[in-house]
Short mmCIF file of all heavy atoms in Angstrom, two decimals:
data_model
loop_
_atom_site.label_atom_id
_atom_site.label_comp_id
_atom_site.label_asym_id
_atom_site.label_seq_id
_atom_site.Cartn_x
_atom_site.Cartn_y
_atom_site.Cartn_z
N VAL A 58 -0.73 -15.72 -9.21
CA VAL A 58 -0.98 -16.16 -7.89
C VAL A 58 -2.01 -15.30 -7.24
O VAL A 58 -1.87 -14.07 -7.10
CB VAL A 58 0.49 -15.98 -7.04
CG1 VAL A 58 0.25 -16.38 -5.57
CG2 VAL A 58 1.51 -16.75 -7.73
N LEU A 59 -3.21 -16.03 -6.92
CA LEU A 59 -4.26 -15.25 -6.45
C LEU A 59 -4.12 -15.02 -4.96
O LEU A 59 -3.33 -15.64 -4.26
CB LEU A 59 -5.55 -16.20 -6.55
CG LEU A 59 -5.87 -16.30 -8.05
CD1 LEU A 59 -7.04 -17.40 -8.14
CD2 LEU A 59 -6.36 -15.09 -8.74
N THR A 60 -4.65 -14.05 -4.45
CA THR A 60 -5.73 -13.20 -4.96
C THR A 60 -4.99 -11.93 -5.52
O THR A 60 -5.53 -11.32 -6.49
CB THR A 60 -6.84 -12.90 -3.90
OG1 THR A 60 -7.31 -14.03 -3.41
CG2 THR A 60 -7.88 -11.95 -4.62
N GLY A 61 -4.00 -11.52 -4.81
CA GLY A 61 -3.36 -10.19 -5.09
C GLY A 61 -3.09 -9.89 -6.52
O GLY A 61 -3.11 -8.71 -6.96
N SER A 62 -2.70 -10.87 -7.39
CA SER A 62 -2.19 -10.57 -8.68
C SER A 62 -3.28 -10.51 -9.76
O SER A 62 -3.07 -10.33 -10.97
CB SER A 62 -1.08 -11.43 -9.12
OG SER A 62 -1.68 -12.69 -9.45
N LEU A 84 -2.06 -19.75 -3.09
CA LEU A 84 -1.12 -20.17 -2.09
C LEU A 84 -1.48 -19.78 -0.67
O LEU A 84 -2.02 -18.70 -0.45
CB LEU A 84 0.41 -19.68 -2.36
CG LEU A 84 0.80 -19.92 -3.84
CD1 LEU A 84 2.22 -19.26 -4.00
CD2 LEU A 84 0.88 -21.35 -4.10
N LEU A 114 3.12 -14.81 -12.08
CA LEU A 114 2.80 -13.38 -11.83
C LEU A 114 2.29 -13.23 -10.43
O LEU A 114 1.44 -13.74 -9.82
CB LEU A 114 1.53 -13.06 -12.68
CG LEU A 114 1.79 -13.38 -14.19
CD1 LEU A 114 0.39 -12.92 -15.05
CD2 LEU A 114 2.99 -12.71 -14.81
N GLU A 115 3.18 -12.40 -9.84
CA GLU A 115 2.87 -11.87 -8.35
C GLU A 115 2.51 -10.46 -8.28
O GLU A 115 3.01 -9.66 -9.18
CB GLU A 115 4.16 -12.14 -7.50
CG GLU A 115 3.99 -13.57 -6.72
CD GLU A 115 3.11 -13.36 -5.52
OE1 GLU A 115 2.18 -12.54 -5.50
OE2 GLU A 115 3.36 -14.21 -4.51
N ASP A 116 1.71 -10.09 -7.31
CA ASP A 116 1.55 -8.70 -7.02
C ASP A 116 2.61 -8.09 -6.38
O ASP A 116 3.18 -6.99 -6.88
CB ASP A 116 0.34 -8.51 -6.14
CG ASP A 116 0.28 -9.34 -4.82
OD1 ASP A 116 1.20 -10.27 -4.72
OD2 ASP A 116 -0.66 -9.23 -3.95
N ILE A 117 3.13 -8.68 -5.34
CA ILE A 117 4.38 -8.07 -4.60
C ILE A 117 5.19 -9.11 -3.88
O ILE A 117 4.83 -10.22 -3.49
CB ILE A 117 3.80 -7.03 -3.59
CG1 ILE A 117 5.00 -6.25 -2.92
CG2 ILE A 117 2.90 -7.82 -2.47
CD1 ILE A 117 4.51 -4.94 -2.18
N VAL A 118 6.55 -8.89 -4.26
CA VAL A 118 7.63 -9.64 -3.37
C VAL A 118 7.99 -8.88 -2.24
O VAL A 118 8.45 -7.84 -2.34
CB VAL A 118 8.79 -10.13 -4.34
CG1 VAL A 118 9.81 -11.02 -3.56
CG2 VAL A 118 8.15 -10.95 -5.55
N THR A 123 7.08 -16.53 0.41
CA THR A 123 5.98 -17.23 -0.45
C THR A 123 6.68 -17.88 -1.71
O THR A 123 6.55 -19.02 -1.86
CB THR A 123 4.85 -16.27 -0.87
OG1 THR A 123 4.49 -15.62 0.25
CG2 THR A 123 3.68 -16.96 -1.44
N GLY A 173 -5.41 -4.81 -6.41
CA GLY A 173 -5.27 -6.06 -6.16
C GLY A 173 -4.78 -6.39 -4.60
O GLY A 173 -5.02 -7.42 -4.09
N LEU A 174 -4.00 -5.36 -4.14
CA LEU A 174 -3.42 -5.68 -2.80
C LEU A 174 -4.24 -5.26 -1.69
O LEU A 174 -4.97 -4.32 -1.74
CB LEU A 174 -2.11 -4.85 -2.64
CG LEU A 174 -1.07 -5.39 -3.57
CD1 LEU A 174 -0.29 -4.25 -4.24
CD2 LEU A 174 0.06 -6.26 -2.77
N ASP A 175 -4.42 -5.94 -0.66
CA ASP A 175 -5.28 -5.75 0.47
C ASP A 175 -4.71 -5.34 1.82
O ASP A 175 -3.47 -5.57 2.11
CB ASP A 175 -6.15 -6.99 0.58
CG ASP A 175 -5.45 -8.12 1.33
OD1 ASP A 175 -4.36 -8.47 0.71
OD2 ASP A 175 -5.91 -8.67 2.39
N ARG A 181 -8.63 -4.16 -2.13
CA ARG A 181 -8.17 -4.70 -3.42
C ARG A 181 -8.75 -4.03 -4.68
O ARG A 181 -8.19 -4.09 -5.78
CB ARG A 181 -8.57 -6.24 -3.48
CG ARG A 181 -7.83 -6.99 -2.39
CD ARG A 181 -8.10 -8.50 -2.90
NE ARG A 181 -7.80 -9.44 -1.80
CZ ARG A 181 -6.57 -9.96 -1.48
NH1 ARG A 181 -5.53 -9.45 -2.02
NH2 ARG A 181 -6.42 -10.83 -0.53
MG1 MG B 202 0.06 -12.27 -3.11
#
Side-chain angles (χ1 to χ4, degrees):
V58 181
L59 295 172
T60 303
S62 77
L84 308 176
L114 303 181
E115 256 289 25
D116 50 353
I117 186 165
V118 176
T123 310
L174 290 134
D175 73 304
R181 293 195 197 274

